[in-house]
Amino acid sequence: MPALSQRLEMLLVLRWLEAGADDRAEVSVSPSQVAEEMGLGPERSDLLRLMTALGELEERGVVRVSWPGGGGEMLVELSDDLRRDAQSLFRG
């Protein structure tokens, strides 16, 4: 099974593609909803695993995360390289 960070990367790319793959490169997601979609539980330990995976993606420069409004939604910006790769793979 791929590492959690790899699965998260693919989920974020798919969300961006489903949203129309626009130039803004942003995806607004709820950590708890993402955890559920990835088959993780609502337990604190699973959410911490998810946030660790997100941190790994940030360290690699694949995404940039912000928390506008300080609420439960995070705004994830995909890197130019990731968007370009996604478009070439999924859009032909």
Side-chain angles (χ1 to χ4, degrees), residues 53-68:
L54 190 60
E56 290 171 9
L57 295 179
E58 279 191 297
E59 286 177 15
R60 287 185 25 224
V62 176
V63 300
R64 188 171 65 204
V65 180
S66 61
W67 299 86

Side-chain angles (χ1 to χ4, degrees), residues 4 11 26 36 38 45 50 54 58 61 74 86 90:
L4 188 60
L11 178 74
E26 297 173 339
E36 182 178 324
M38 294 183 68
S45 61
L50 177 67
L54 190 60
E58 279 191 297
M74 59 184 175
F90 296 104

Side-chain angles (χ1 to χ4, degrees), residues 2 4 8 13 18 25 37 49 52 68 77 80-82:
L4 188 60
L8 177 58
V13 166
E18 288 172 352
E37 288 180 39
R49 287 180 53 217
T52 299
E77 182 181 347
D80 291 342
D81 289 340
L82 182 58

Side-chain angles (χ1 to χ4, degrees), residues 1 3 19 29 68:
M1 175 179 287
V29 294

Side-chain angles (χ1 to χ4, degrees), residues 7-39:
R7 291 176 46 219
L8 177 58
E9 181 179 344
M10 288 304 300
L11 178 74
L12 294 170
V13 166
L14 290 174
R15 284 277 188 95
W16 176 69
L17 290 169
E18 288 172 352
D22 65 13
D23 291 336
R24 289 187 48 212
E26 297 173 339
V27 179
S28 180
V29 294
S30 160
S32 59
Q33 185 179 32
V34 169
E36 182 178 324
E37 288 180 39
M38 294 183 68

